[in-house]
Amino acid sequence: GQIYVPFGVYETNVISDPLTLEIGETRESVIALNWAGEAVYGSVFIFNGELSESTAVEKIDQFGFSLGYSAERDGGISYDVALSYINNLGDSDGVASVVQTNSGGTLMSEYVAAYVLSAGIAFGEFSFIAEYLAATDQFAVTEMLYRGAGAQPGALNIEAAYGLQLSGMPATLAVSYQTSEEAVD
């Protein structure tokens, strides 16, 4: 079956999806190897995406990985940091339709890799989340345009949250700052 590949964490406390998710979330049929130790966890995955670099026979030529570290310290402080990589951001759910519409098909001139850095920390009722997604290169002008050149999209999500009880029910107050770059399409 299909899964969301482990590229990015995309955790949030607000109602809307973070911009990092809108750009990077990728749902595909994959072959994945996941592991989790006491503090270190990770995944490697391969798949045959919707977009291709060649007109040759379809092949499994897209891949990625994630690696993270999660721990809890004395005093109730817990944290999680992760790094994810994918060799073709063009096949993400938020980007593929743009590339297909602009290029008129499923053929890309060249794959554009991307990475996501994620971090979270929680102590007591407070939590903080930060995540940054960035393409490592520009898309071809015919695939994703930004100011007369190929776009090199990126996004940032930063959140702070506080958990509390309202009328005996658990609630969360959260504030988020999000921005994107070269992601107009």
Side-chain angles (χ1 to χ4, degrees), residues 52-182:
S52 177
E53 277 186 314
S54 74
T55 57
V57 177
E58 287 193 32
K59 57 185 174 183
I60 297 174
D61 62 350
Q62 297 185 43
F63 59 89
F65 71 87
S66 66
L67 182 62
Y69 181 81
S70 180
E72 189 168 327
R73 298 289 181 227
D74 293 337
I77 297 174
S78 62
Y79 59 91
D80 191 321
V81 294
L83 168 67
S84 302
Y85 172 87
I86 196 165
N87 78 319
N88 184 19
L89 181 63
D91 234 320
S92 74
D93 298 346
V95 176
S97 61
V98 171
V99 171
Q100 288 175 330
T101 300
N102 291 347
S103 67
T106 60
L107 190 61
M108 292 183 72
S109 60
E110 188 175 320
Y111 288 160
V112 176
Y115 65 91
V116 177
L117 297 172
S118 308
I121 186 167
F123 51 94
E125 301 301 322
F126 293 96
S127 65
F128 298 93
I129 299 167
E131 188 162 51
Y132 179 70
L133 177 148
T136 61
D137 203 357
Q138 293 178 322
F139 281 87
V141 173
T142 56
E143 296 165 355
M144 186 180 287
L145 183 66
Y146 182 77
R147 294 188 178 175
Q152 187 172 353
L156 172 70
N157 178 43
I158 300 172
E159 290 186 24
Y162 177 72
L164 65 137
Q165 295 285 322
L166 285 176
S167 299
M169 301 293 292
T172 302
L173 297 175
V175 62
S176 173
Y177 172 79
Q178 299 184 44
T179 187
S180 65
E181 50 196 25
E182 300 188 25

